[in-house]
Structure formats: C-alpha cells, structure tokens
C-alpha cells in the first residue's frame, strides 16, 4: 500500500473510532464532542421518574437533565400532584429552561377508591369536580395541559346505559372547570381488572363525542389496548380525532419497545405520519438491570424511532 493511501486509511479509521467512543460517552451521560446519541427523536417521548436513576441518581430533576442529553424532550409524571409544591415548581422551571414538554399527570385529590362516576351519586361527582379544580393549580406550576382521568368501576346494579349517562354528565361538569384554562382531561381505558368501567377506546370515543369539548379526549395506552382487544392500528384510526395522548408499553411484561409482541416501529411511524406532535408517554418498566438496562432502553427507542 502506498504511504499516502495508508495515511488516509489510518486517519479514517481513527476518526471512526473517536466518533464511536464519543457516542458511547454521550449515551453514558458524559460530555462528548459527537452529539449523535443525543439527537432529538422523531416523536416526543416522555420519560418518568426512576427511568434513569442508575445514571443520574434518585433526583428526578437530574434524571430529566440526563434524558435531555440522550435526546428525550418530554416527561410525564403520574404522581406529580402528590409532590411538594416547591418540587413541582422546580420541575416546571427545569422543563422550561431545557425546552422540554410535560405530558400527563394523574388527577389529584381523590381517595384511594378513585372516581366512581358510573354511580351518578352527588358526592362522587362533587369529589370529581374538586379534583379537577386541584388539577388546574398543579398544571399551572408545571406548565402542563394534560391530566389523566379514570372514571372508576362498573356498577353492577345499574343498566350500562344509565352508567354511561352518569359518566358523561360527570365528565361534562369536570370539563367546565378545565376548559377555561386550556387543560385537557384524557380518559384512559385500562386493562388492570374486569371491574373497570372504561376498558376500550371506542367507549372513550363515545364519551368524548357526547361531551363535545376539546378538553375531553382519550388517552390511548397501547399496552392496555393490546391486552384488552389488540387491533391497535385500526382502532387508533377509528378513534384518532378524539385521541389526545399516547402511552407506550410492550406486552407481555410492560417494558420498553422490542421486549414483547407489539411492533412499535410501525406504530410510531403510523402516528408520526398522522401528524401527531404531542408527547408519547413512556409508561413502562425496564427489562434490564442497572446502567446496562437503561442504555438498552435508549437503544430500543432509537431502533423503534428509526422509521424515517
């Protein structure tokens, strides 16, 4: 090999090695000249507390900063309303400084039994309205526009149509509190137990159409949809004009994309092509352990997000 060609090959090999090391360093949360690993994703995936604790420690704010360095541009936090007010404000300030979005937090101020809106009982409705008022104050501190609402359980002593009517009327009253502030309640169909009133997106679609407000939408959690009925993409399309938020979790196991049976690359491409610009909540666990598990999670999202 000629000396000139040898030198060119050596320089290219050295540059590739340095770039590879820079990417690895950046994924590990260390300073790096190459920012490929931290490039923002095509969709706006929202991390939650504890997701990167092995790299960033137990402080959620430090985890948020680490996630930003890896390309994530949003968070969600089910337990936000239970945090001290000062901590809520600090999280909100951190998100504002980094230019990150806030996804959902769960409706505050309820008893352990949650909403029982299908009953139509006045005390349940009053408690629900009170929780919506509290949600407005939390949302202001963290610059959020999304609150998760679950209507509660079936009432076996009432016809299903009566229960649906009771839920719709209660939701209308809650929406009246949220709508002036531009806050959206997203109704989440769940698969956790058979007693839950709201289990499928088509039920949520029916409620949203009846309420008729931009402040009442569906939280489309693909983990729960897969467990309850499957048929994710057609169901998503049928209900799309009433979907206000998406959440992710593979099945079985409820971990990151690629650990179960759901083809998230196809799903992410589908909702991207539909023009969705909101947060996609990462409401799942991590299949691996320690730092290696967290790095595998990042790589899983890079793979599922590589649809362009």
């Amino acid at each position: 090999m000629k000396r000139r060609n040898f030198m060119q090959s050596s320089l290219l090999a050295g540059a590739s090695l340095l770039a590879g090391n820079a990417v690895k360093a950046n994924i590990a949360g260390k300073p790096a000249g190459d920012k490929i690993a931290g490039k923002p994703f095509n969709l706006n995936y929202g991390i939650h507390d504890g997701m990167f604790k092995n790299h960033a420690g137990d402080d959620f704010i430090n985890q948020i900063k680490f996630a930003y360095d890896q390309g994530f541009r949003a968070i969600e936090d089910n337990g936000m309303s239970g945090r001290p007010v000062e901590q809520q404000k600090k999280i909100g300030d951190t998100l504002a400084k980094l230019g990150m979005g806030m996804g959902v937090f769960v409706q505050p101020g309820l008893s352990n039994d949650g909403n029982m809106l299908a009953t139509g009982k006045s005390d349940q409705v009053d408690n629900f309205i009170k929780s919506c008022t509290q949600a407005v104050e939390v949302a202001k501190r963290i610059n959020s526009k999304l609150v998760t609402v679950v209507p509660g359980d079936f009432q076996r002593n009432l016809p299903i149509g009566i229960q649906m009517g009771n839920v719709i009327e209660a939701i209308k009253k809650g929406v009246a509190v949220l709508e002036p502030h531009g806050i959206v309640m997203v109704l989440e169909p769940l698969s956790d137990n058979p007693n839950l009133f709201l289990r499928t997106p088509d039920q949520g679609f029916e409620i949203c159409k009846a309420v008729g407000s931009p402040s009442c939408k569906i939280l489309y959690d693909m983990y729960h949809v897969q467990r309850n009925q499957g048929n994710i993409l057609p169901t998503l399309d049928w209900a799309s004009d009433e979907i206000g938020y998406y959440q992710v979790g593979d099945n079985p196991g409820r971990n990151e994309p690629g650990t179960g049976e759901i083809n998230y690359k196809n799903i992410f491409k589908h909702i991207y092509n539909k023009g969705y610009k909101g947060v996609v909540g990462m409401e799942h666990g991590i299949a691996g352990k320690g730092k290696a598990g967290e790095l595998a999670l990042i790589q899983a999202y890079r793979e599922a997000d590589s649809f362009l």
Side-chain angles (χ1 to χ4, degrees), residues 124-140:
Q124 293 294 323
V125 176
D126 290 345
N127 196 34
F128 175 65
I129 294 170
K130 179 181 177 182
S131 75
C132 290
T133 302
Q134 293 169 334
V136 171
E137 297 307 310
V138 175
K140 288 177 181 177

mmCIF file of all heavy atoms in Angstrom, residues 124-140:
data_model
loop_
_atom_site.group_PDB
_atom_site.id
_atom_site.type_symbol
_atom_site.label_atom_id
_atom_site.label_comp_id
_atom_site.label_asym_id
_atom_site.label_seq_id
_atom_site.Cartn_x
_atom_site.Cartn_y
_atom_site.Cartn_z
ATOM 1 N N GLN A 124 -69.797 11.633 44.749
ATOM 2 C CA GLN A 124 -68.743 11.237 43.816
ATOM 3 C C GLN A 124 -68.502 12.333 42.776
ATOM 4 O O GLN A 124 -67.357 12.639 42.429
ATOM 5 C CB GLN A 124 -69.127 9.929 43.120
ATOM 6 C CG GLN A 124 -69.169 8.724 44.035
ATOM 7 C CD GLN A 124 -67.793 8.355 44.580
ATOM 8 O OE1 GLN A 124 -66.794 8.463 43.880
ATOM 9 N NE2 GLN A 124 -67.741 7.929 45.828
ATOM 10 N N VAL A 125 -69.548 12.918 42.285
ATOM 11 C CA VAL A 125 -69.431 13.990 41.298
ATOM 12 C C VAL A 125 -68.772 15.215 41.930
ATOM 13 O O VAL A 125 -67.887 15.841 41.319
ATOM 14 C CB VAL A 125 -70.808 14.349 40.708
ATOM 15 C CG1 VAL A 125 -70.675 15.537 39.756
ATOM 16 C CG2 VAL A 125 -71.406 13.152 39.984
ATOM 17 N N ASP A 126 -69.174 15.555 43.142
ATOM 18 C CA ASP A 126 -68.574 16.713 43.829
ATOM 19 C C ASP A 126 -67.080 16.505 44.053
ATOM 20 O O ASP A 126 -66.279 17.437 43.884
ATOM 21 C CB ASP A 126 -69.274 16.946 45.172
ATOM 22 C CG ASP A 126 -70.698 17.455 45.021
ATOM 23 O OD1 ASP A 126 -71.051 17.902 43.911
ATOM 24 O OD2 ASP A 126 -71.463 17.390 46.015
ATOM 25 N N ASN A 127 -66.709 15.295 44.440
ATOM 26 C CA ASN A 127 -65.304 14.981 44.661
ATOM 27 C C ASN A 127 -64.508 15.072 43.363
ATOM 28 O O ASN A 127 -63.368 15.561 43.330
ATOM 29 C CB ASN A 127 -65.165 13.576 45.262
ATOM 30 C CG ASN A 127 -63.799 13.324 45.869
ATOM 31 O OD1 ASN A 127 -63.184 14.237 46.411
ATOM 32 N ND2 ASN A 127 -63.325 12.101 45.778
ATOM 33 N N PHE A 128 -65.129 14.646 42.285
ATOM 34 C CA PHE A 128 -64.501 14.716 40.972
ATOM 35 C C PHE A 128 -64.273 16.164 40.550
ATOM 36 O O PHE A 128 -63.189 16.523 40.062
ATOM 37 C CB PHE A 128 -65.373 13.984 39.953
ATOM 38 C CG PHE A 128 -64.899 14.093 38.543
ATOM 39 C CD1 PHE A 128 -63.701 13.533 38.145
ATOM 40 C CD2 PHE A 128 -65.667 14.759 37.601
ATOM 41 C CE1 PHE A 128 -63.264 13.623 36.834
ATOM 42 C CE2 PHE A 128 -65.246 14.858 36.288
ATOM 43 C CZ PHE A 128 -64.043 14.295 35.895
ATOM 44 N N ILE A 129 -65.265 17.001 40.741
ATOM 45 C CA ILE A 129 -65.130 18.420 40.381
ATOM 46 C C ILE A 129 -64.035 19.082 41.224
ATOM 47 O O ILE A 129 -63.222 19.870 40.707
ATOM 48 C CB ILE A 129 -66.477 19.151 40.552
ATOM 49 C CG1 ILE A 129 -67.496 18.608 39.546
ATOM 50 C CG2 ILE A 129 -66.306 20.656 40.368
ATOM 51 C CD1 ILE A 129 -68.910 19.085 39.784
ATOM 52 N N LYS A 130 -63.993 18.751 42.492
ATOM 53 C CA LYS A 130 -62.946 19.279 43.369
ATOM 54 C C LYS A 130 -61.564 18.881 42.868
ATOM 55 O O LYS A 130 -60.632 19.688 42.851
ATOM 56 C CB LYS A 130 -63.165 18.780 44.799
ATOM 57 C CG LYS A 130 -62.110 19.268 45.786
ATOM 58 C CD LYS A 130 -62.376 18.706 47.177
ATOM 59 C CE LYS A 130 -61.283 19.135 48.164
ATOM 60 N NZ LYS A 130 -61.524 18.549 49.524
ATOM 61 N N SER A 131 -61.421 17.630 42.443
ATOM 62 C CA SER A 131 -60.123 17.168 41.952
ATOM 63 C C SER A 131 -59.728 17.884 40.666
ATOM 64 O O SER A 131 -58.545 18.128 40.417
ATOM 65 C CB SER A 131 -60.146 15.651 41.730
ATOM 66 O OG SER A 131 -60.873 15.303 40.568
ATOM 67 N N CYS A 132 -60.706 18.222 39.832
ATOM 68 C CA CYS A 132 -60.412 18.982 38.613
ATOM 69 C C CYS A 132 -59.902 20.382 38.952
ATOM 70 O O CYS A 132 -58.985 20.901 38.302
ATOM 71 C CB CYS A 132 -61.658 19.067 37.732
ATOM 72 S SG CYS A 132 -62.146 17.493 36.978
ATOM 73 N N THR A 133 -60.479 20.993 39.975
ATOM 74 C CA THR A 133 -60.021 22.313 40.435
ATOM 75 C C THR A 133 -58.579 22.237 40.927
ATOM 76 O O THR A 133 -57.757 23.118 40.638
ATOM 77 C CB THR A 133 -60.942 22.837 41.555
ATOM 78 O OG1 THR A 133 -62.287 22.899 41.068
ATOM 79 C CG2 THR A 133 -60.501 24.213 42.017
ATOM 80 N N GLN A 134 -58.263 21.182 41.674
ATOM 81 C CA GLN A 134 -56.893 20.988 42.156
ATOM 82 C C GLN A 134 -55.931 20.746 40.995
ATOM 83 O O GLN A 134 -54.781 21.200 41.024
ATOM 84 C CB GLN A 134 -56.856 19.821 43.140
ATOM 85 C CG GLN A 134 -57.604 20.097 44.435
ATOM 86 C CD GLN A 134 -57.773 18.845 45.286
ATOM 87 O OE1 GLN A 134 -57.783 17.727 44.766
ATOM 88 N NE2 GLN A 134 -57.929 19.029 46.585
ATOM 89 N N ALA A 135 -56.397 20.060 39.963
ATOM 90 C CA ALA A 135 -55.557 19.778 38.799
ATOM 91 C C ALA A 135 -55.139 21.058 38.097
ATOM 92 O O ALA A 135 -54.015 21.155 37.580
ATOM 93 C CB ALA A 135 -56.302 18.865 37.826
ATOM 94 N N VAL A 136 -56.010 22.045 38.087
ATOM 95 C CA VAL A 136 -55.675 23.327 37.457
ATOM 96 C C VAL A 136 -54.465 23.958 38.136
ATOM 97 O O VAL A 136 -53.548 24.462 37.471
ATOM 98 C CB VAL A 136 -56.883 24.287 37.498
ATOM 99 C CG1 VAL A 136 -56.475 25.691 37.055
ATOM 100 C CG2 VAL A 136 -58.018 23.761 36.635
ATOM 101 N N GLU A 137 -54.419 23.914 39.451
ATOM 102 C CA GLU A 137 -53.307 24.526 40.189
ATOM 103 C C GLU A 137 -52.005 23.777 39.947
ATOM 104 O O GLU A 137 -50.943 24.395 39.787
ATOM 105 C CB GLU A 137 -53.636 24.567 41.681
ATOM 106 C CG GLU A 137 -54.848 25.420 42.021
ATOM 107 C CD GLU A 137 -54.733 26.825 41.441
ATOM 108 O OE1 GLU A 137 -53.672 27.465 41.635
ATOM 109 O OE2 GLU A 137 -55.701 27.277 40.798
ATOM 110 N N VAL A 138 -52.075 22.454 39.927
ATOM 111 C CA VAL A 138 -50.864 21.665 39.635
ATOM 112 C C VAL A 138 -50.372 21.974 38.229
ATOM 113 O O VAL A 138 -49.170 22.185 38.002
ATOM 114 C CB VAL A 138 -51.147 20.157 39.784
ATOM 115 C CG1 VAL A 138 -49.924 19.333 39.369
ATOM 116 C CG2 VAL A 138 -51.543 19.821 41.218
ATOM 117 N N ALA A 139 -51.286 22.011 37.277
ATOM 118 C CA ALA A 139 -50.923 22.238 35.878
ATOM 119 C C ALA A 139 -50.212 23.579 35.688
ATOM 120 O O ALA A 139 -49.266 23.684 34.895
ATOM 121 C CB ALA A 139 -52.170 22.175 35.004
ATOM 122 N N LYS A 140 -50.639 24.589 36.418
ATOM 123 C CA LYS A 140 -50.014 25.908 36.302
ATOM 124 C C LYS A 140 -48.543 25.870 36.730
ATOM 125 O O LYS A 140 -47.686 26.515 36.129
ATOM 126 C CB LYS A 140 -50.769 26.924 37.154
ATOM 127 C CG LYS A 140 -52.133 27.322 36.615
ATOM 128 C CD LYS A 140 -52.827 28.286 37.571
ATOM 129 C CE LYS A 140 -54.204 28.687 37.076
ATOM 130 N NZ LYS A 140 -54.909 29.573 38.061
#
